[in-house]
C-alpha cells in the first residue's frame, strides 16, 4: 500500500476504533462484536508496523506500549488543582449548613430565590488532570500538592474509558479533571486472578487505582482495570464556556468523555438533602465505591463571585456518608456453627462504628480465607460493612502487627487454625477435600443443628411425623424438652400440653403421629439421619444395596462406592457420619425407643421392567401427582432424578413441560406420556 493510502486507511481505522471504544467503555453499549473490533485493531497494528511514521500518540494501539520510567516527571498545573471542603456531619444539617454559608456569602436574604446546585457523586479514587490539545490527549497528571503533580500519561493511556481523542468541535486547549477509580467487580476479579497466581492482592479499590496510576511500568498498570469519570475543568483556551457547571458536564459528555449519569441540578437545601438521601439508598447498588456526594453552585458566574478560601472553593462541598470501612483490632478469633453445621471463623473486634452501626464481630468466611488474610489476634484490620451485608474482615494492616516481645506471646500471634472439635457439641470438625466449608459432624446431637436436624428427621419423606413443624420444634428445642430425635419418643402428654398454644387434642394427635413413625422403612430411616450428601434417592440405593443398617454402618469407603451412583464424596460423608460416636449413640437410642424398619424392601422388584431405570418427571400429568408417579416408580425399583442427562432412561412429560423435555429430545431419551408410562409399569411397553 502506498504511504498516502496507508495514512488515509489508518485514520479511518483509528476513528472507527475510537468510536467503538466510546460505545463500549463510556456508553456501555457495544456497537460491534468483539471479533470485529479485534480485526480492526489488528489491521491498524499491521499498518503501523509497515509505516512506523503513522504511529501517533493518539493511536488506540498506543494504549499499552510505553516503556517503564525511571521516575515520574513533575508537571506544573496551569490552574491549581484545589481540594474540596468536606462536610463531616453526615446528617441533613450538613447540607443546610453549606446552603446557609453560600447564601450568606452571596448576600441573599430569606425572601430571595433558592440557589441552584449541580449535585454529583464523590468518587473514591485518584484525581487526574487530562490535557487535550486540539482534541488529542497529550498529557495526564496527578494532583500532587495541587501546584505540581506527576506526569502519568503512559498509565492513563491504558484506561480504556479515557478517550485518546475527543469528538466534535473541541476547543484548541481543554483540560479535563476527574477521578480515576477501580470498580468493585474489577477489583474482585483482579484479586481473584492475583490469588490464583499466588500474588499479592489489593486491600481496596482505592488503593488499587492509586497504586496502578503510580506504577512506573505501564505494562503493570495495564493489568489493573481502571475506570474514569470527568467532573470539572482545568485550563481551557478558545472555548466559550457554558453558563453552568451542569452545562460544562454536558459538553464534556458530548466530547466523548465519561460523565457519571447520577447527577442532577437541584434547588436549595431541600434539594441537596433529597439527593444525599437518594444516593445513599443507591450506594450499595453502584458498581463502585463512593464516600459521599458533592454539591457545587451551578452558575459559573456565582462560583466566581464566591471564590476561594485558602485552597478550597466556597462554592463546593463534599457531603459524606458514614464510612463503610474502618480500622479496629482483633481481640479473639472464634468459630460459629450454623444450622447446617457449617463452621465459620469469626473475628471478635474492639467495637468500631462502621456503615452506620457499631460492629463487634466480623466474618472471616472460612478457614482458607482466614489463612489467606492471615488474621491474628492483636492485628489491626480493615472491617467493611456495606448495606445490610454481614460485616467482614477485608485485610490486615501488616505494618501495624504487634511485635512478639514477650515470651509466651507467640500463641497470640500465630496463624489461624480451625479447632478439631465443634465448640458447641464437641463432635469432630471435618472438611471434605475440595470443599471450602468445614462442618461439625455431630448432625444429630449438635445443639446448633438441633432444630434443622429434627425438622429433617420428621419430614414427610423421612419419618413423616405429621404435625411436627417449625413452630413446635422451635418450642421443644428452646425449652430444652428435646435434644435429639430419640427424645421425641420419650415425650409424654403432660410435657406436650405445657407448651404454648397446645391443646390436649392436638398434643395427642402429635404423640400418635410420633408413635406411628416408629414403624418405617430402612430407606426412610437412613434419609432421616440427615447424613450430608445423602438425599432420598441415595438413601434408597443404600437401603437396597446393604439391606440392613448394621451392614451400612460397617461399610468402608470402598464398599460404599460399589453402590450405584455413590462416589467418593458421598462415601466419605457416610463414613464420617458413622465415625462420630455421638451420632451412633443417637441411633442406638432410637432403636431402644422402638423405632423399627422393614429391611431388604426392594428385592422383590428387581425383575420388574422398571428396576434400575432412571426417570425424570416433568410438567403436569393428567391424573397422577408427581409424588404418586415417583412412588410407583420407586415401588418397582426404579429411580427418579431431578435433571435429564445421558443416564436418564425415560422422561415422563405432562402439560407445560419445559426445558427438561427439550433436553430429552436433544439427548434422544425416550419420552412417555402418562398412558405410556402406566403401560410401561404394567410391563407391556417395549422400547
Ligand atoms: S470537584 C474545586 N467533584 O475529591 C473542586 N471532586 O478534595 C475540585 N472528588 O481528590 C474537586 N468526586 O478527586 C470534585 N464529583 C467530584 C468528585 C471530586 C471525587 C475528589 C477529588 C479530590 C477530592 C476533593
Amino acid at each position: 500500500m502506498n504511504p498516502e493510502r496507508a495514512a488515509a486507511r489508518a485514520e479511518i481505522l483509528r476513528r472507527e476504533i475510537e468510536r467503538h471504544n466510546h460505545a463500549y467503555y463510556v456508553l456501555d453499549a457495544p456497537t460491534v462484536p468483539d471479533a470485529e473490533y479485534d480485526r480492526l485493531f489488528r489491521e491498524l497494528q499491521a499498518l503501523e508496523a509497515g509505516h512506523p511514521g503513522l504511529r501517533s500518540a493518539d493511536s488506540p494501539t498506543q494504549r499499552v506500549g510505553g516503556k517503564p520510567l525511571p521516575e515520574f516527571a513533575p508537571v506544573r498545573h496551569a490552574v491549581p488543582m484545589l481540594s474540596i471542603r468536606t462536610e463531616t456531619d453526615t446528617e441533613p444539617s450538613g447540607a443546610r449548613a453549606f446552603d446557609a454559608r453560600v447564601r450568606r456569602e452571596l448576600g441573599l436574604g430569606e425572601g430571595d430565590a433558592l440557589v441552584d446546585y449541580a449535585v454529583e457523586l464523590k468518587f473514591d479514587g485518584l484525581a487526574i488532570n487530562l490535557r487535550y490539545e486540539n482534541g488529542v490527549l497529550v498529557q495526564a497528571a496527578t494532583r500532587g500538592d495541587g501546584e505540581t503533580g506527576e506526569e502519568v500519561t503512559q498509565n492513563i493511556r491504558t484506561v480504556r474509558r479515557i478517550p485518546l481523542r475527543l469528538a466534535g468541535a473541541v476547543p484548541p486547549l481543554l483540560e479535563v479533571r476527574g477521578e480515576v477509580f477501580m470498580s468493585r467487580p474489577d477489583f474482585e476479579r483482579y484479586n481473584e486472578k492475583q490469588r490464583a497466581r499466588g500474588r499479592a492482592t489489593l486491600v481496596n479499590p482505592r488503593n488499587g487505582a492509586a497504586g496502578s496510576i503510580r506504577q512506573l511500568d505501564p505494562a503493570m498498570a495495564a493489568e489493573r482495570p481502571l475506570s474514569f469519570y470527568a467532573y470539572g475543568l482545568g485550563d481551557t483556551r478558545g472555548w466559550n464556556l457554558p453558563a453552568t457547571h451542569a452545562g460544562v458536564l454536558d459538553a464534556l459528555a458530548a466530547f466523548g468523555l465519561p460523565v457519571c449519569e447520577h447527577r442532577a441540578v437541584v434547588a436549595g437545601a431541600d434539594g441537596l438533602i433529597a439527593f444525599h438521601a437518594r444516593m445513599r439508598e443507591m450506594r450499595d447498588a453502584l458498581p463502585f465505591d463512593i464516600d459521599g456526594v458533592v454539591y457545587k453552585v451551578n452558575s459559573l458566574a456565582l462560583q466566581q463571585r464566591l471564590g476561594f478560601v485558602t485552597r478550597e472553593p466556597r462554592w463546593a462541598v463534599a457531603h459524606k456518608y458514614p464510612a463503610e470501612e474502618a480500622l479496629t483490632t482483633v481481640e479473639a478469633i472464634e468459630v460459629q456453627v450454623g444450622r447446617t453445621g457449617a463452621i465459620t471463623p469469626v473475628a471478635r473486634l474492639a467495637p468500631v462504628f462502621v456503615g452506620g452501626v457499631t460492629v463487634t464481630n466480623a466474618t472471616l468466611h472460612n478457614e482458607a480465607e482466614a489463612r489467606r488474610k492471615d488474621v491474628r489476634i492483636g492485628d489491626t484490620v480493615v472491617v467493611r460493612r456495606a448495606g445490610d451485608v454481614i460485616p467482614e474482615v477485608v485485610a490486615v494492616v501488616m505494618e501495624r502487627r504487634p511485635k512478639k516481645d514477650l515470651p509466651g506471646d507467640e500463641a497470640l500471634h500465630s496463624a489461624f487454625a480451625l479447632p478439631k472439635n465443634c465448640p458447641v457439641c464437641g463432635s469432630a470438625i471435618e472438611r471434605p477435600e475440595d470443599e471450602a466449608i468445614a462442618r461439625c459432624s455431630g448432625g444429630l446431637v449438635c445443639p446448633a443443628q438441633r432444630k434443622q436436624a429434627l425438622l429433617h428427621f420428621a419430614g414427610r419423606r423421612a419419618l413423616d411425623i405429621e404435625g411436627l413443624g417449625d413452630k413446635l420444634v422451635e418450642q421443644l428445642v428452646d425449652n430444652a424438652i428435646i435434644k435429639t430425635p430419640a427424645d421425641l419418643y420419650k415425650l409424654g402428654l403432660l410435657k406436650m400440653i405445657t407448651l404454648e398454644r397446645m391443646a390436649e387434642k392436638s398434643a395427642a394427635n402429635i404423640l400418635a403421629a410420633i408413635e406411628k413413625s416408629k414403624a418405617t422403612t430402612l430407606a426412610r430411616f437412613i434419609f432421616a439421619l440427615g447424613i450430608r450428601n445423602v438425599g432420598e434417592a441415595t438413601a434408597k440405593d443404600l437401603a437396597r444395596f446393604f439391606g440392613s443398617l448394621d451392614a451400612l454402618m460397617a461399610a468402608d469407603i470402598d464398599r460404599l462406592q460399589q453402590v450405584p451412583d455413590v462416589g467418593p464424596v458421598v462415601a466419605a460423608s457416610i463414613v464420617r457420619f458413622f465415625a462420630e460416636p455421638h451420632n451412633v449413640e443417637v441411633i442406638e437410642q432410637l432403636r431402644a425407643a422402638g423405632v423399627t424398619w422393614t429391611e431388604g424392601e426392594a428385592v422383590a422388584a428387581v425383575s420388574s421392567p422398571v428396576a434400575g431405570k432412571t426417570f425424570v418427571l416433568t410438567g403436569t400429568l393428567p391424573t397422577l401427582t408427581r409424588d404418586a408417579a415417583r412412588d410407583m416408580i420407586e415401588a418397582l425399583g426404579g429411580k427418579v432424578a431431578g435433571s435429564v442427562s445421558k443416564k436418564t432412561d425415560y422422561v415422563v412429560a405432562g402439560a407445560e413441560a419445559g426445558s427438561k423435555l427439550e433436553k430429552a429430545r436433544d439427548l434422544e431419551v425416550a419420552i412417555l406420556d402418562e398412558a405410556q408410562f402406566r403401560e410401561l409399569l404394567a410391563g407391556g411397553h417395549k422400547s
Side-chain angles (χ1 to χ4, degrees), residues 80-86 120-128 143 177-180 206 230-232 245 291 293-294 296 308 311-313 315-316 318:
M81 286 183 82
L82 302 174
S83 66
I84 195 168
R85 183 189 159 111
T86 304
E120 50 202 59
L121 301 179
K122 185 165 193 308
F123 312 105
D124 200 7
L126 195 70
I128 289 287
R143 176 162 172 263
R177 288 183 180 168
E179 198 87 348
V180 166
R206 214 206 91 79
Y231 55 61
H245 180 73
D291 54 358
V293 288
V294 177
K296 296 172 182 173
F308 303 87
R311 314 198 46 74
E312 293 167 354
W315 46 264

